[in-house]
Amino acid sequence: TLDEAAFADTVVDNLSGGGAAAIIKIQNDYGVGYGDELRRLMEKRGRTVVFDETFLPGETDFRPLLLKLKAARPKVIILITY
């Protein structure tokens, strides 16, 4: 949609030097749908997504996810939730 496209353009414009992105999204229709479309648009614009994970609504222990995120070494982290 227009929202994902505009956000993808903003991220691409601000990832100078070809830095990679990480996407963390809530595991529901909104998070997965928005995140998947954002990833597709970012990759179409030549950006690398080095991390793309979901978390369950109500999750309280993010340590495993954050350890994997740290290992991926993204330049930017995009969190999709509400």
Side-chain angles (χ1 to χ4, degrees), residues 10-43:
T10 300
V11 172
V12 167
D13 290 347
N14 288 289
L15 274 177
S16 60
I23 299 173
I24 302 171
K25 56 198 176 202
I26 192 165
Q27 190 173 334
N28 62 21
D29 290 344
Y30 169 77
V32 173
Y34 195 101
D36 289 351
E37 181 65 5
L38 179 61
R39 179 183 185 135
R40 185 188 72 75
L41 291 167
M42 288 178 59
E43 289 175 341

PDB file of all heavy atoms in Angstrom, residues 10-43:
ATOM      1  N   THR A  10      11.463   6.125   2.795  1.00  0.00           N
ATOM      2  CA  THR A  10      12.128   6.832   3.891  1.00  0.00           C
ATOM      3  C   THR A  10      13.307   6.033   4.428  1.00  0.00           C
ATOM      4  O   THR A  10      14.396   6.570   4.641  1.00  0.00           O
ATOM      5  CB  THR A  10      11.129   7.125   5.029  1.00  0.00           C
ATOM      6  OG1 THR A  10      10.079   7.939   4.506  1.00  0.00           O
ATOM      7  CG2 THR A  10      11.793   7.841   6.180  1.00  0.00           C
ATOM      8  N   VAL A  11      13.105   4.743   4.631  1.00  0.00           N
ATOM      9  CA  VAL A  11      14.186   3.899   5.142  1.00  0.00           C
ATOM     10  C   VAL A  11      15.326   3.846   4.142  1.00  0.00           C
ATOM     11  O   VAL A  11      16.494   4.021   4.501  1.00  0.00           O
ATOM     12  CB  VAL A  11      13.674   2.478   5.462  1.00  0.00           C
ATOM     13  CG1 VAL A  11      14.826   1.550   5.799  1.00  0.00           C
ATOM     14  CG2 VAL A  11      12.674   2.516   6.609  1.00  0.00           C
ATOM     15  N   VAL A  12      15.016   3.622   2.870  1.00  0.00           N
ATOM     16  CA  VAL A  12      16.043   3.540   1.837  1.00  0.00           C
ATOM     17  C   VAL A  12      16.814   4.846   1.752  1.00  0.00           C
ATOM     18  O   VAL A  12      18.046   4.855   1.677  1.00  0.00           O
ATOM     19  CB  VAL A  12      15.415   3.164   0.472  1.00  0.00           C
ATOM     20  CG1 VAL A  12      16.397   3.377  -0.658  1.00  0.00           C
ATOM     21  CG2 VAL A  12      14.926   1.724   0.503  1.00  0.00           C
ATOM     22  N   ASP A  13      16.112   5.963   1.804  1.00  0.00           N
ATOM     23  CA  ASP A  13      16.770   7.269   1.733  1.00  0.00           C
ATOM     24  C   ASP A  13      17.722   7.502   2.899  1.00  0.00           C
ATOM     25  O   ASP A  13      18.725   8.191   2.762  1.00  0.00           O
ATOM     26  CB  ASP A  13      15.732   8.399   1.709  1.00  0.00           C
ATOM     27  CG  ASP A  13      14.957   8.456   0.403  1.00  0.00           C
ATOM     28  OD1 ASP A  13      15.369   7.802  -0.574  1.00  0.00           O
ATOM     29  OD2 ASP A  13      13.914   9.138   0.374  1.00  0.00           O
ATOM     30  N   ASN A  14      17.417   6.924   4.051  1.00  0.00           N
ATOM     31  CA  ASN A  14      18.230   7.146   5.240  1.00  0.00           C
ATOM     32  C   ASN A  14      19.258   6.048   5.496  1.00  0.00           C
ATOM     33  O   ASN A  14      20.012   6.141   6.462  1.00  0.00           O
ATOM     34  CB  ASN A  14      17.325   7.307   6.465  1.00  0.00           C
ATOM     35  CG  ASN A  14      16.616   8.644   6.427  1.00  0.00           C
ATOM     36  OD1 ASN A  14      17.225   9.680   6.608  1.00  0.00           O
ATOM     37  ND2 ASN A  14      15.332   8.613   6.152  1.00  0.00           N
ATOM     38  N   LEU A  15      19.303   5.029   4.663  1.00  0.00           N
ATOM     39  CA  LEU A  15      20.309   3.977   4.788  1.00  0.00           C
ATOM     40  C   LEU A  15      21.432   4.230   3.794  1.00  0.00           C
ATOM     41  O   LEU A  15      21.654   3.472   2.866  1.00  0.00           O
ATOM     42  CB  LEU A  15      19.689   2.606   4.530  1.00  0.00           C
ATOM     43  CG  LEU A  15      19.048   1.906   5.700  1.00  0.00           C
ATOM     44  CD1 LEU A  15      18.411   0.602   5.253  1.00  0.00           C
ATOM     45  CD2 LEU A  15      20.033   1.647   6.805  1.00  0.00           C
ATOM     46  N   SER A  16      22.141   5.299   3.993  1.00  0.00           N
ATOM     47  CA  SER A  16      23.232   5.617   3.090  1.00  0.00           C
ATOM     48  C   SER A  16      24.346   4.587   3.246  1.00  0.00           C
ATOM     49  O   SER A  16      24.530   3.991   4.297  1.00  0.00           O
ATOM     50  CB  SER A  16      23.755   7.023   3.377  1.00  0.00           C
ATOM     51  OG  SER A  16      24.229   7.087   4.702  1.00  0.00           O
ATOM     52  N   GLY A  17      25.075   4.369   2.189  1.00  0.00           N
ATOM     53  CA  GLY A  17      26.180   3.435   2.228  1.00  0.00           C
ATOM     54  C   GLY A  17      25.764   1.973   2.188  1.00  0.00           C
ATOM     55  O   GLY A  17      26.560   1.086   2.460  1.00  0.00           O
ATOM     56  N   GLY A  18      24.504   1.705   1.860  1.00  0.00           N
ATOM     57  CA  GLY A  18      24.060   0.331   1.704  1.00  0.00           C
ATOM     58  C   GLY A  18      23.880  -0.444   2.982  1.00  0.00           C
ATOM     59  O   GLY A  18      23.978  -1.660   2.980  1.00  0.00           O
ATOM     60  N   GLY A  19      23.629   0.230   4.082  1.00  0.00           N
ATOM     61  CA  GLY A  19      23.427  -0.469   5.345  1.00  0.00           C
ATOM     62  C   GLY A  19      22.231  -1.396   5.309  1.00  0.00           C
ATOM     63  O   GLY A  19      21.301  -1.215   4.540  1.00  0.00           O
ATOM     64  N   ALA A  20      22.286  -2.411   6.149  1.00  0.00           N
ATOM     65  CA  ALA A  20      21.231  -3.414   6.194  1.00  0.00           C
ATOM     66  C   ALA A  20      20.202  -3.065   7.267  1.00  0.00           C
ATOM     67  O   ALA A  20      20.494  -2.369   8.235  1.00  0.00           O
ATOM     68  CB  ALA A  20      21.840  -4.777   6.480  1.00  0.00           C
ATOM     69  N   ALA A  21      19.006  -3.619   7.091  1.00  0.00           N
ATOM     70  CA  ALA A  21      17.897  -3.360   8.011  1.00  0.00           C
ATOM     71  C   ALA A  21      17.462  -4.645   8.708  1.00  0.00           C
ATOM     72  O   ALA A  21      17.659  -5.743   8.197  1.00  0.00           O
ATOM     73  CB  ALA A  21      16.716  -2.765   7.256  1.00  0.00           C
ATOM     74  N   ALA A  22      16.845  -4.465   9.861  1.00  0.00           N
ATOM     75  CA  ALA A  22      16.201  -5.555  10.589  1.00  0.00           C
ATOM     76  C   ALA A  22      14.737  -5.183  10.759  1.00  0.00           C
ATOM     77  O   ALA A  22      14.409  -4.033  11.022  1.00  0.00           O
ATOM     78  CB  ALA A  22      16.848  -5.743  11.953  1.00  0.00           C
ATOM     79  N   ILE A  23      13.871  -6.183  10.608  1.00  0.00           N
ATOM     80  CA  ILE A  23      12.442  -5.983  10.804  1.00  0.00           C
ATOM     81  C   ILE A  23      11.981  -6.922  11.912  1.00  0.00           C
ATOM     82  O   ILE A  23      12.210  -8.133  11.834  1.00  0.00           O
ATOM     83  CB  ILE A  23      11.644  -6.256   9.516  1.00  0.00           C
ATOM     84  CG1 ILE A  23      12.078  -5.307   8.394  1.00  0.00           C
ATOM     85  CG2 ILE A  23      10.145  -6.136   9.778  1.00  0.00           C
ATOM     86  CD1 ILE A  23      11.460  -5.621   7.044  1.00  0.00           C
ATOM     87  N   ILE A  24      11.371  -6.351  12.931  1.00  0.00           N
ATOM     88  CA  ILE A  24      10.757  -7.123  14.011  1.00  0.00           C
ATOM     89  C   ILE A  24       9.282  -6.765  13.988  1.00  0.00           C
ATOM     90  O   ILE A  24       8.925  -5.592  14.040  1.00  0.00           O
ATOM     91  CB  ILE A  24      11.373  -6.765  15.374  1.00  0.00           C
ATOM     92  CG1 ILE A  24      12.876  -7.006  15.359  1.00  0.00           C
ATOM     93  CG2 ILE A  24      10.707  -7.561  16.485  1.00  0.00           C
ATOM     94  CD1 ILE A  24      13.589  -6.473  16.597  1.00  0.00           C
ATOM     95  N   LYS A  25       8.426  -7.794  13.908  1.00  0.00           N
ATOM     96  CA  LYS A  25       7.003  -7.514  13.726  1.00  0.00           C
ATOM     97  C   LYS A  25       6.157  -8.396  14.625  1.00  0.00           C
ATOM     98  O   LYS A  25       6.515  -9.531  14.919  1.00  0.00           O
ATOM     99  CB  LYS A  25       6.614  -7.709  12.266  1.00  0.00           C
ATOM    100  CG  LYS A  25       6.949  -9.078  11.724  1.00  0.00           C
ATOM    101  CD  LYS A  25       6.966  -9.098  10.206  1.00  0.00           C
ATOM    102  CE  LYS A  25       7.411 -10.477   9.733  1.00  0.00           C
ATOM    103  NZ  LYS A  25       7.938 -10.478   8.416  1.00  0.00           N
ATOM    104  N   ILE A  26       5.042  -7.843  15.058  1.00  0.00           N
ATOM    105  CA  ILE A  26       4.093  -8.598  15.864  1.00  0.00           C
ATOM    106  C   ILE A  26       3.452  -9.669  14.984  1.00  0.00           C
ATOM    107  O   ILE A  26       3.192  -9.445  13.807  1.00  0.00           O
ATOM    108  CB  ILE A  26       3.035  -7.665  16.502  1.00  0.00           C
ATOM    109  CG1 ILE A  26       2.237  -8.411  17.559  1.00  0.00           C
ATOM    110  CG2 ILE A  26       2.153  -7.023  15.460  1.00  0.00           C
ATOM    111  CD1 ILE A  26       1.437  -7.505  18.473  1.00  0.00           C
ATOM    112  N   GLN A  27       3.248 -10.845  15.555  1.00  0.00           N
ATOM    113  CA  GLN A  27       2.715 -11.967  14.790  1.00  0.00           C
ATOM    114  C   GLN A  27       1.186 -11.921  14.765  1.00  0.00           C
ATOM    115  O   GLN A  27       0.504 -12.604  15.526  1.00  0.00           O
ATOM    116  CB  GLN A  27       3.197 -13.293  15.376  1.00  0.00           C
ATOM    117  CG  GLN A  27       2.885 -14.472  14.503  1.00  0.00           C
ATOM    118  CD  GLN A  27       3.526 -15.747  15.011  1.00  0.00           C
ATOM    119  OE1 GLN A  27       4.535 -15.722  15.687  1.00  0.00           O
ATOM    120  NE2 GLN A  27       2.918 -16.855  14.686  1.00  0.00           N
ATOM    121  N   ASN A  28       0.690 -11.064  13.886  1.00  0.00           N
ATOM    122  CA  ASN A  28      -0.738 -11.005  13.584  1.00  0.00           C
ATOM    123  C   ASN A  28      -0.875 -10.495  12.152  1.00  0.00           C
ATOM    124  O   ASN A  28       0.129 -10.246  11.485  1.00  0.00           O
ATOM    125  CB  ASN A  28      -1.502 -10.136  14.601  1.00  0.00           C
ATOM    126  CG  ASN A  28      -1.071  -8.686  14.630  1.00  0.00           C
ATOM    127  OD1 ASN A  28      -0.483  -8.170  13.683  1.00  0.00           O
ATOM    128  ND2 ASN A  28      -1.363  -7.998  15.717  1.00  0.00           N
ATOM    129  N   ASP A  29      -2.098 -10.386  11.671  1.00  0.00           N
ATOM    130  CA  ASP A  29      -2.300  -9.987  10.276  1.00  0.00           C
ATOM    131  C   ASP A  29      -1.646  -8.649   9.954  1.00  0.00           C
ATOM    132  O   ASP A  29      -1.035  -8.484   8.900  1.00  0.00           O
ATOM    133  CB  ASP A  29      -3.792  -9.926   9.946  1.00  0.00           C
ATOM    134  CG  ASP A  29      -4.446 -11.298   9.905  1.00  0.00           C
ATOM    135  OD1 ASP A  29      -3.718 -12.313   9.824  1.00  0.00           O
ATOM    136  OD2 ASP A  29      -5.688 -11.359   9.965  1.00  0.00           O
ATOM    137  N   TYR A  30      -1.777  -7.691  10.868  1.00  0.00           N
ATOM    138  CA  TYR A  30      -1.202  -6.359  10.647  1.00  0.00           C
ATOM    139  C   TYR A  30       0.322  -6.433  10.561  1.00  0.00           C
ATOM    140  O   TYR A  30       0.929  -5.969   9.597  1.00  0.00           O
ATOM    141  CB  TYR A  30      -1.624  -5.403  11.767  1.00  0.00           C
ATOM    142  CG  TYR A  30      -0.867  -4.103  11.753  1.00  0.00           C
ATOM    143  CD1 TYR A  30      -1.187  -3.105  10.834  1.00  0.00           C
ATOM    144  CD2 TYR A  30       0.188  -3.877  12.629  1.00  0.00           C
ATOM    145  CE1 TYR A  30      -0.481  -1.911  10.802  1.00  0.00           C
ATOM    146  CE2 TYR A  30       0.895  -2.692  12.600  1.00  0.00           C
ATOM    147  CZ  TYR A  30       0.566  -1.710  11.683  1.00  0.00           C
ATOM    148  OH  TYR A  30       1.269  -0.545  11.651  1.00  0.00           O
ATOM    149  N   GLY A  31       0.950  -6.995  11.585  1.00  0.00           N
ATOM    150  CA  GLY A  31       2.408  -7.016  11.642  1.00  0.00           C
ATOM    151  C   GLY A  31       3.042  -7.791  10.513  1.00  0.00           C
ATOM    152  O   GLY A  31       3.978  -7.322   9.858  1.00  0.00           O
ATOM    153  N   VAL A  32       2.531  -8.987  10.252  1.00  0.00           N
ATOM    154  CA  VAL A  32       3.103  -9.825   9.203  1.00  0.00           C
ATOM    155  C   VAL A  32       2.840  -9.227   7.824  1.00  0.00           C
ATOM    156  O   VAL A  32       3.740  -9.156   6.987  1.00  0.00           O
ATOM    157  CB  VAL A  32       2.570 -11.267   9.309  1.00  0.00           C
ATOM    158  CG1 VAL A  32       3.012 -12.106   8.126  1.00  0.00           C
ATOM    159  CG2 VAL A  32       3.038 -11.912  10.619  1.00  0.00           C
ATOM    160  N   GLY A  33       1.624  -8.760   7.591  1.00  0.00           N
ATOM    161  CA  GLY A  33       1.298  -8.169   6.296  1.00  0.00           C
ATOM    162  C   GLY A  33       2.121  -6.923   5.996  1.00  0.00           C
ATOM    163  O   GLY A  33       2.701  -6.790   4.917  1.00  0.00           O
ATOM    164  N   TYR A  34       2.182  -6.013   6.968  1.00  0.00           N
ATOM    165  CA  TYR A  34       2.941  -4.775   6.786  1.00  0.00           C
ATOM    166  C   TYR A  34       4.425  -5.075   6.641  1.00  0.00           C
ATOM    167  O   TYR A  34       5.110  -4.554   5.760  1.00  0.00           O
ATOM    168  CB  TYR A  34       2.703  -3.844   7.975  1.00  0.00           C
ATOM    169  CG  TYR A  34       3.132  -2.414   7.753  1.00  0.00           C
ATOM    170  CD1 TYR A  34       2.199  -1.434   7.457  1.00  0.00           C
ATOM    171  CD2 TYR A  34       4.465  -2.035   7.859  1.00  0.00           C
ATOM    172  CE1 TYR A  34       2.583  -0.111   7.267  1.00  0.00           C
ATOM    173  CE2 TYR A  34       4.856  -0.725   7.663  1.00  0.00           C
ATOM    174  CZ  TYR A  34       3.914   0.231   7.358  1.00  0.00           C
ATOM    175  OH  TYR A  34       4.296   1.527   7.162  1.00  0.00           O
ATOM    176  N   GLY A  35       4.929  -5.953   7.518  1.00  0.00           N
ATOM    177  CA  GLY A  35       6.357  -6.280   7.489  1.00  0.00           C
ATOM    178  C   GLY A  35       6.788  -6.966   6.213  1.00  0.00           C
ATOM    179  O   GLY A  35       7.848  -6.656   5.652  1.00  0.00           O
ATOM    180  N   ASP A  36       5.989  -7.912   5.736  1.00  0.00           N
ATOM    181  CA  ASP A  36       6.341  -8.616   4.498  1.00  0.00           C
ATOM    182  C   ASP A  36       6.342  -7.676   3.303  1.00  0.00           C
ATOM    183  O   ASP A  36       7.226  -7.734   2.444  1.00  0.00           O
ATOM    184  CB  ASP A  36       5.382  -9.779   4.253  1.00  0.00           C
ATOM    185  CG  ASP A  36       5.584 -10.926   5.238  1.00  0.00           C
ATOM    186  OD1 ASP A  36       6.572 -10.905   6.013  1.00  0.00           O
ATOM    187  OD2 ASP A  36       4.743 -11.854   5.240  1.00  0.00           O
ATOM    188  N   GLU A  37       5.353  -6.798   3.241  1.00  0.00           N
ATOM    189  CA  GLU A  37       5.299  -5.838   2.129  1.00  0.00           C
ATOM    190  C   GLU A  37       6.449  -4.835   2.226  1.00  0.00           C
ATOM    191  O   GLU A  37       7.074  -4.484   1.228  1.00  0.00           O
ATOM    192  CB  GLU A  37       3.953  -5.116   2.119  1.00  0.00           C
ATOM    193  CG  GLU A  37       3.787  -4.114   0.993  1.00  0.00           C
ATOM    194  CD  GLU A  37       3.775  -4.731  -0.407  1.00  0.00           C
ATOM    195  OE1 GLU A  37       3.800  -5.966  -0.548  1.00  0.00           O
ATOM    196  OE2 GLU A  37       3.756  -3.952  -1.375  1.00  0.00           O
ATOM    197  N   LEU A  38       6.768  -4.389   3.428  1.00  0.00           N
ATOM    198  CA  LEU A  38       7.888  -3.467   3.610  1.00  0.00           C
ATOM    199  C   LEU A  38       9.185  -4.121   3.162  1.00  0.00           C
ATOM    200  O   LEU A  38       9.982  -3.509   2.453  1.00  0.00           O
ATOM    201  CB  LEU A  38       7.980  -3.039   5.078  1.00  0.00           C
ATOM    202  CG  LEU A  38       9.121  -2.099   5.418  1.00  0.00           C
ATOM    203  CD1 LEU A  38       8.999  -0.788   4.640  1.00  0.00           C
ATOM    204  CD2 LEU A  38       9.139  -1.832   6.916  1.00  0.00           C
ATOM    205  N   ARG A  39       9.404  -5.369   3.553  1.00  0.00           N
ATOM    206  CA  ARG A  39      10.620  -6.075   3.133  1.00  0.00           C
ATOM    207  C   ARG A  39      10.691  -6.180   1.612  1.00  0.00           C
ATOM    208  O   ARG A  39      11.734  -5.931   1.008  1.00  0.00           O
ATOM    209  CB  ARG A  39      10.665  -7.457   3.759  1.00  0.00           C
ATOM    210  CG  ARG A  39      11.901  -8.233   3.332  1.00  0.00           C
ATOM    211  CD  ARG A  39      11.952  -9.634   3.874  1.00  0.00           C
ATOM    212  NE  ARG A  39      13.219 -10.213   3.504  1.00  0.00           N
ATOM    213  CZ  ARG A  39      13.987 -10.905   4.305  1.00  0.00           C
ATOM    214  NH1 ARG A  39      13.603 -11.158   5.536  1.00  0.00           N
ATOM    215  NH2 ARG A  39      15.139 -11.386   3.883  1.00  0.00           N
ATOM    216  N   ARG A  40       9.582  -6.567   0.996  1.00  0.00           N
ATOM    217  CA  ARG A  40       9.556  -6.690  -0.466  1.00  0.00           C
ATOM    218  C   ARG A  40       9.920  -5.369  -1.138  1.00  0.00           C
ATOM    219  O   ARG A  40      10.747  -5.324  -2.061  1.00  0.00           O
ATOM    220  CB  ARG A  40       8.164  -7.145  -0.918  1.00  0.00           C
ATOM    221  CG  ARG A  40       8.071  -7.423  -2.418  1.00  0.00           C
ATOM    222  CD  ARG A  40       6.642  -7.687  -2.849  1.00  0.00           C
ATOM    223  NE  ARG A  40       5.822  -6.488  -2.847  1.00  0.00           N
ATOM    224  CZ  ARG A  40       5.876  -5.512  -3.759  1.00  0.00           C
ATOM    225  NH1 ARG A  40       6.729  -5.581  -4.752  1.00  0.00           N
ATOM    226  NH2 ARG A  40       5.084  -4.460  -3.673  1.00  0.00           N
ATOM    227  N   LEU A  41       9.349  -4.284  -0.646  1.00  0.00           N
ATOM    228  CA  LEU A  41       9.614  -2.968  -1.233  1.00  0.00           C
ATOM    229  C   LEU A  41      11.050  -2.519  -0.987  1.00  0.00           C
ATOM    230  O   LEU A  41      11.678  -1.930  -1.872  1.00  0.00           O
ATOM    231  CB  LEU A  41       8.627  -1.945  -0.681  1.00  0.00           C
ATOM    232  CG  LEU A  41       7.178  -2.122  -1.134  1.00  0.00           C
ATOM    233  CD1 LEU A  41       6.247  -1.268  -0.298  1.00  0.00           C
ATOM    234  CD2 LEU A  41       7.036  -1.810  -2.609  1.00  0.00           C
ATOM    235  N   MET A  42      11.572  -2.790   0.196  1.00  0.00           N
ATOM    236  CA  MET A  42      12.956  -2.399   0.481  1.00  0.00           C
ATOM    237  C   MET A  42      13.929  -3.168  -0.409  1.00  0.00           C
ATOM    238  O   MET A  42      14.868  -2.588  -0.960  1.00  0.00           O
ATOM    239  CB  MET A  42      13.279  -2.619   1.951  1.00  0.00           C
ATOM    240  CG  MET A  42      12.590  -1.617   2.854  1.00  0.00           C
ATOM    241  SD  MET A  42      12.933  -1.909   4.593  1.00  0.00           S
ATOM    242  CE  MET A  42      14.707  -1.768   4.621  1.00  0.00           C
ATOM    243  N   GLU A  43      13.703  -4.467  -0.559  1.00  0.00           N
ATOM    244  CA  GLU A  43      14.590  -5.270  -1.402  1.00  0.00           C
ATOM    245  C   GLU A  43      14.464  -4.857  -2.867  1.00  0.00           C
ATOM    246  O   GLU A  43      15.458  -4.833  -3.593  1.00  0.00           O
ATOM    247  CB  GLU A  43      14.304  -6.749  -1.204  1.00  0.00           C
ATOM    248  CG  GLU A  43      14.780  -7.227   0.168  1.00  0.00           C
ATOM    249  CD  GLU A  43      14.426  -8.663   0.497  1.00  0.00           C
ATOM    250  OE1 GLU A  43      13.507  -9.225  -0.152  1.00  0.00           O
ATOM    251  OE2 GLU A  43      15.057  -9.210   1.415  1.00  0.00           O
TER     252      GLU A  43
END
